[in-house]
Amino acid sequence: MRKDKPYVMYTLFAINTIVFLMQYLLPGLSIENQLGMFSPSVIWQHQYWRFITPMFIHFGLMHFALNGVVLYYMGQQCEAIFGHWRFAIIYLLSGIMGNFASFAFNQPTTLSGGASTAIFGLFGAFLVVGLHYRDNGAIQALTRQFALFILMNLAFGLFDSTIDIWGHLGGIIGGALSGWALAVPYSQDRFSTRARATAALFFIFAIVLFVFFGLRKFSMYQ
């Protein structure tokens, strides 16, 4: 594991904080409505930035605080394992995949957002690390804890309509596939080239599939 400072995590934490403060101090800008995942705006107004920007907005202090705490602690561990640029790519690709899943499966009237799509991607990437480091007791203990956290959150999501369960599932998929494709530096002998290429192809396939389901959903409402 790398020992240098997790400056990518600090940067992501700072961006989320700045955007939240803007939401709180400048409510007239309606930032969440401009940047959140809202499928009709993507389809009819071609606002494709909504596949990226929702991971930087939050709905209320509790939403921001919870995601901020998890990002702070989980981000440090993942950045130490994957390194700076891999961690940044996994985080962003996970958030994007989560937003594509929201686009595909949420109701058209749903406005969603939050760093949890990307954060759940970090959990997904860590599960992949656990699969490749079965001989490491510390990693296995963390993997079991994270797997339990994921299962509990998904279970709560079935009963709480405010939780974007599709975004979380998409984030997990995105994190697992991007983490597998990028591999852990200095330990790439544990990740075969064929498996990494397959993971990258599955990532692209999942995006295409989510776009198809999203477009199909809107065609049914016309």
Side-chain angles (χ1 to χ4, degrees):
M1 295 179 66
R2 302 169 67 94
K3 300 298 183 181
D4 46 348
K5 292 184 178 180
Y7 59 80
V8 175
M9 183 278 291
Y10 289 143
T11 300
L12 293 169
F13 189 90
I15 292 172
N16 279 283
T17 302
I18 292 169
V19 173
F20 177 74
L21 289 175
M22 291 177 63
Q23 290 180 256
Y24 181 77
L25 298 174
L26 303 170
L29 293 180
S30 191
I31 292 174
E32 57 273 18
N33 290 326
Q34 301 300 320
L35 302 182
M37 170 46 67
F38 188 60
S39 300
S41 295
V42 175
I43 293 292
W44 295 320
Q45 297 176 307
H46 308 293
Q47 296 178 357
Y48 303 119
W49 64 80
R50 292 179 184 268
F51 289 115
I52 301 173
T53 54
M55 73 180 85
F56 298 109
I57 67 168
H58 291 88
F59 300 97
L61 178 60
M62 187 60 68
H63 189 205
F64 166 75
L66 179 60
N67 280 341
V69 168
V70 178
L71 171 59
Y72 183 81
Y73 289 103
M74 187 65 186
Q76 291 185 69
Q77 297 182 62
C78 281
E79 189 164 352
I81 291 172
F82 285 98
H84 303 305
W85 70 267
R86 286 181 176 86
F87 167 73
I89 291 175
I90 290 170
Y91 186 92
L92 294 174
L93 290 182
S94 299
I96 291 171
M97 180 72 83
N99 291 325
F100 269 100
S102 295
F103 169 78
F105 300 113
N106 279 334
Q107 292 297 315
T109 55
T110 300
L111 175 67
S112 63
S116 53
T117 50
I119 291 171
F120 268 81
L122 301 183
F123 286 113
F126 200 97
L127 293 181
V128 168
V129 173
L131 288 175
H132 289 80
Y133 285 83
R134 296 188 183 92
D135 55 339
N136 188 307
I139 289 180
Q140 288 304 304
L142 284 173
T143 301
R144 288 191 292 269
Q145 293 178 23
F146 294 152
L148 179 60
F149 176 85
I150 290 171
L151 290 174
M152 290 176 61
N153 188 277
L154 294 178
F156 285 132
L158 294 176
F159 303 99
D160 188 346
S161 60
T162 65
I163 295 177
D164 182 4
I165 191 170
W166 291 114
H168 291 179
L169 285 170
I172 294 170
I173 293 170
L177 292 175
S178 58
W180 206 314
L182 291 170
V184 176
Y186 313 118
S187 299
Q188 298 193 17
D189 55 313
R190 296 178 181 252
F191 296 76
S192 71
T193 301
R194 181 177 180 179
R196 293 176 64 186
T198 301
L201 290 174
F202 268 106
F203 186 97
I204 296 171
F205 175 75
I207 292 289
V208 173
L209 195 64
F210 289 159
V211 170
F212 170 78
F213 278 114
L215 295 175
R216 182 173 179 270
K217 174 182 65 179
F218 272 87
S219 67
M220 294 172 62
Y221 280 90
Q222 292 179 353

